[in-house]
Amino acid sequence: MFVRCLLVRDSVLLDLHCGVMIPSSRHILRPPSALLDRVVIWVATGGYSGYLSPVPATIGSFVGLLLYLPLAESPIVLQLALTGALFALGIWTSSRAEEIMKTKDARPIVIDEIVGMWISVLFLPNEVTWLLAAFLLFRLFDVLKPFPAKQAQELAGGWGVMTDDVIAGLYTNALLNFLQTF
């Protein structure tokens, strides 16, 4: 069974079921843009997980932890490279998602929590207690937004979306790596 979905954007009626465009003015939306926007929303919302609950940041953090698990035994260089790449992708997708959603740091955008969670667990043992501690501390620092995380939220576009969670992840990581020495 196919569902037919119509989208009006930039004065163009787009039939997403069959990809037919019916221009209502001289502006025509190209199908790749519509597809790209859907991919951007999918990435920025963590595979739509940001829409799942009244606490999307917590769900996004959990998704981040789940996505990290297959990488946990990978070489640290690979983990760092993938975290950096995901951060760069997050800046771009969250900027574009803000434009699409017409809201600064919209609640469903959770790519920042995913990256922050990955940063939180770098260099930690792949054990349930450390991963759970990283999850809980990351959520705490993400909510409290210690200096300079709160100020970082004011950065423009995706930089503001991503940077405060990177800082929360760095605080979490530093604290847990310090505790690991005991």
Side-chain angles (χ1 to χ4, degrees):
M1 177 176 175
F2 290 98
V3 177
R4 194 167 195 172
C5 178
L6 298 177
L7 170 71
V8 176
R9 178 158 181 202
D10 297 329
S11 302
V12 174
L13 180 64
L14 178 62
D15 183 335
L16 298 176
H17 171 66
C18 61
V20 174
M21 293 187 306
I22 306 164
S24 58
S25 76
R26 58 191 165 148
H27 304 309
I28 297 179
L29 175 67
R30 287 181 255 141
S33 296
L35 175 61
L36 181 60
D37 284 354
R38 291 193 309 218
V39 171
V40 163
I41 294 298
W42 187 82
V43 170
T45 62
Y48 302 121
S49 65
Y51 291 108
L52 290 180
S53 88
V55 287
T58 301
I59 297 294
S61 299
F62 184 69
V63 167
L65 185 58
L66 292 177
L67 291 173
Y68 169 80
L69 290 176
L71 303 172
E73 298 299 326
S74 300
I76 192 64
V77 174
L78 178 62
Q79 292 180 35
L80 289 168
L82 290 174
T83 302
L86 191 59
F87 174 68
L89 180 65
I91 290 170
W92 181 74
T93 58
S94 60
S95 288
R96 183 67 190 121
E98 282 185 329
E99 293 171 10
I100 294 166
M101 296 176 176
K102 298 180 180 10
T103 305
K104 181 167 174 47
D105 202 359
R107 288 177 51 99
I109 298 173
V110 296
I111 188 72
D112 50 335
E113 276 78 20
I114 293 169
V115 170
M117 196 64 231
W118 281 22
I119 292 169
S120 297
V121 295
L122 287 172
F123 309 108
L124 292 177
N126 188 21
E127 299 171 9
V128 173
T129 53
W130 288 105
L131 297 175
L132 180 60
F135 178 81
L136 295 173
L137 281 173
F138 173 70
R139 291 305 310 131
L140 178 68
F141 287 131
D142 189 28
V143 170
L144 294 179
K145 303 213 181 300
F147 181 82
K150 186 172 186 172
Q151 292 77 4
Q153 278 190 300
E154 301 307 315
L155 295 171
W159 287 99
V161 173
M162 298 296 295
T163 306
D164 68 304
D165 292 273
V166 166
I167 292 168
L170 290 171
Y171 272 107
T172 300
N173 190 278
L175 178 59
L176 290 176
N177 276 291
F178 172 73
L179 292 175
Q180 192 178 194
T181 61
F182 294 104

